[in-house]
Amino acid sequence: MNTLFLAANNGIGNMGTIIAFIVLIALMYFMMIKPQKKQQQKKAEMMNQLKKGDSVILIDGLHGKIDSVNTKDNTVIIDADGIYLTFSRMAVQQILPVNSSDNENSINESEPSEGESEKSPADDSSTKE
């Protein structure tokens, strides 16, 4: 019975437990809480930058363009191919970047150049025989 009291009075064991607990809390802060706060700050900045004409993706996967932003009610009106829908600003997951040069390149690649002739798949099968 005396050995039980001697083990309980050992200050090094108690101090080690306290230090391990503090290290565990610090590790949890730097691995979970701090990155989440950074992510929330980035999302808040994105919400403040919303403007008319931005292409966005909502949290449910809907793609559309912002028609108007109501800062009073914290809502946005999304134009999804002529259908106007009202959502909370928090429903916006991502603002799509506008790359006009990429759009021009994709249009030019889909059109055949002057030297190329358009062939149908039927023409290709007749030449194989």
Side-chain angles (χ1 to χ4, degrees), residues 46 49-51 53-57 63-66 92-104 106:
M46 182 185 71
Q49 293 175 356
L50 290 175
K51 60 187 180 298
D54 284 344
S55 294
V56 294
I57 299 176
H63 292 245
K65 282 192 175 189
I66 295 179
V92 176
Q93 179 180 12
Q94 180 181 2
I95 298 175
L96 296 175
V98 178
N99 295 334
S100 60
S101 62
D102 288 345
N103 292 337
E104 291 174 6
S106 64

Side-chain angles (χ1 to χ4, degrees), residues 112-127:
S113 62
E114 293 177 15
E116 296 178 3
S117 63
E118 294 183 20
K119 292 184 178 181
S120 66
D123 293 340
D124 291 337
S125 64
S126 64
T127 56

Side-chain angles (χ1 to χ4, degrees), residues 21-38 41:
F21 185 69
I22 291 172
V23 168
L24 182 64
I25 290 174
L27 184 66
M28 191 168 78
Y29 173 77
F30 285 109
M31 296 297 283
M32 296 173 62
I33 298 171
K34 191 172 182 178
Q36 186 177 8
K37 282 185 179 181
K38 276 186 173 180
Q41 286 176 347

Side-chain angles (χ1 to χ4, degrees), residues 51-70:
K51 60 187 180 298
K52 182 177 179 173
D54 284 344
S55 294
V56 294
I57 299 176
L58 302 178
I59 56 174
D60 61 353
L62 181 72
H63 292 245
K65 282 192 175 189
I66 295 179
D67 187 57
S68 67
V69 178
N70 186 347

Side-chain angles (χ1 to χ4, degrees), residues 36-91:
Q36 186 177 8
K37 282 185 179 181
K38 276 186 173 180
Q39 188 177 21
Q40 285 175 344
Q41 286 176 347
K42 286 175 77 173
K43 182 146 179 131
E45 288 175 17
M46 182 185 71
M47 293 300 144
N48 292 332
Q49 293 175 356
L50 290 175
K51 60 187 180 298
K52 182 177 179 173
D54 284 344
S55 294
V56 294
I57 299 176
L58 302 178
I59 56 174
D60 61 353
L62 181 72
H63 292 245
K65 282 192 175 189
I66 295 179
D67 187 57
S68 67
V69 178
N70 186 347
T71 55
K72 180 182 169 191
D73 295 334
N74 284 330
T75 59
V76 292
I77 297 177
I78 304 294
D79 177 11
D81 293 332
I83 301 170
Y84 294 91
L85 304 167
T86 303
F87 288 96
S88 169
R89 290 173 71 183
M90 295 303 292

